[in-house]
Amino acid sequence: GAGVSQSPRYKVAKRGQDVALRCDPISGHVSLFWYQQALGQGPEFLTYFQNEAQLDKSGLPSDRFFAERPEGSVSTLKIQRTQQEDSAVYLCASSRLGGGRNEQFFGPGTRLTVL
Amino acid sequence: AQSVTQLGSHVSVSEGALVLLRCNYSSSVPPYLFWYVQYPNQGLQLLLKYTSAATLVKGINGFEAEFKKSETSFHLTKPSAHMSDAAEYFCAVSDHTGGFKTIFGAGTRLFVKA
């Protein structure tokens, strides 16, 4: 594809609902990152995949957050029992090579609103 | 632990004036440093990056940044602002000790006045 795509673009959930956010990275990109961006803040790292391996999940804020990339391409970020503080824009980024020193290509984000 | 501080959440310049956006970082090892830009209703895109080669890095759209280890700074500059430069700018740092994390600053919104 031409770039990183994310779906849905907007998601409204009632508190306590589970949500799943999808990321389609650029084809062939090894690395995939998830970030959470609160209003007026910079992106905050959540987790990192190198191919299908989740090498760093130190930024996931609680065990309600879970991410997977089973075949090394598409990734899903799942949030269970959503809380109001989960409201944010969730960004996905991919890069061609492994590690953190390469250019990341960002998707447009999914804006999650928890009521 | 890595961290990034961007001084000034908002910067306003006149068209044609110098743009200076400040970024200071904290890292225990030589870092990789990045500037990303986010135009309205668009995703973040890379402006430039420093990965231990030349300390003066040139990026797209006439932007450049200088890595100053003694000052732990990586300020972004452009000699002459254009209306199309109005956007949010993020400084970011990553290094080996932080795993694979990239740490972003809070961002600086640049306004360009006609």
Side-chain angles (χ1 to χ4, degrees), chain A residues 33 35 37 40-43 45 48 50 55-56 58-59 91 98-108, chain B residues 32 34 36 38 41-46 49 51 88 90 94 96 98-107:
Chain A
F33 301 79
Y35 295 90
Q37 187 175 21
Q41 299 296 315
F45 172 85
Y48 166 75
Q50 188 165 303
L55 298 185
D56 191 336
S58 60
L91 299 173
R101 64 172 168 174
N102 305 292
E103 176 179 5
Q104 295 179 38
F105 295 84
F106 283 80
Chain B
Y32 305 128
F34 308 83
Y36 282 86
Q38 187 171 31
N41 300 315
Q42 295 186 30
L44 281 82
Q45 57 184 277
L46 183 70
K49 66 177 181 179
T51 55
E88 183 118 30
F90 295 94
S94 71
H96 300 295
F100 298 91
K101 278 185 178 181
T102 301
I103 306 299
F104 283 80

Side-chain angles (χ1 to χ4, degrees), chain A residues 11 13-20 78-82:
Chain A
K11 177 69 179 178
K14 292 183 180 178
R15 191 172 54 182
Q17 281 185 330
D18 298 348
V19 298
K78 297 179 180 177
I79 309 173
Q80 296 177 325
R81 305 180 304 281
T82 52

Side-chain angles (χ1 to χ4, degrees), chain A residues 19-22 34 46 60 65-67 75-79 90:
Chain A
V19 298
L21 312 180
R22 178 187 168 106
W34 281 101
L46 293 177
L60 296 177
F65 286 71
F66 171 78
S75 178
T76 304
L77 176 67
K78 297 179 180 177
I79 309 173
Y90 290 85

Side-chain angles (χ1 to χ4, degrees), chain B residues 24-102:
Chain B
N24 288 87
Y25 69 91
S26 172
S27 177
S28 58
V29 298
Y32 305 128
L33 294 160
F34 308 83
W35 276 98
Y36 282 86
V37 61
Q38 187 171 31
Y39 297 105
N41 300 315
Q42 295 186 30
L44 281 82
Q45 57 184 277
L46 183 70
L47 267 181
L48 49 80
K49 66 177 181 179
Y50 167 78
T51 55
S52 78
T55 56
L56 182 62
V57 182
K58 294 187 183 300
I60 61 171
N61 301 336
F63 284 93
E64 62 183 38
E66 186 172 8
F67 171 68
K68 292 188 177 180
K69 183 178 177 181
S70 60
E71 299 177 7
T72 60
S73 70
F74 191 57
H75 302 329
L76 182 71
T77 60
K78 181 175 181 178
S80 176
H82 192 272
M83 297 295 287
S84 61
D85 294 327
E88 183 118 30
Y89 293 80
F90 295 94
C91 181
V93 62
S94 71
D95 65 43
H96 300 295
T97 63
F100 298 91
K101 278 185 178 181
T102 301

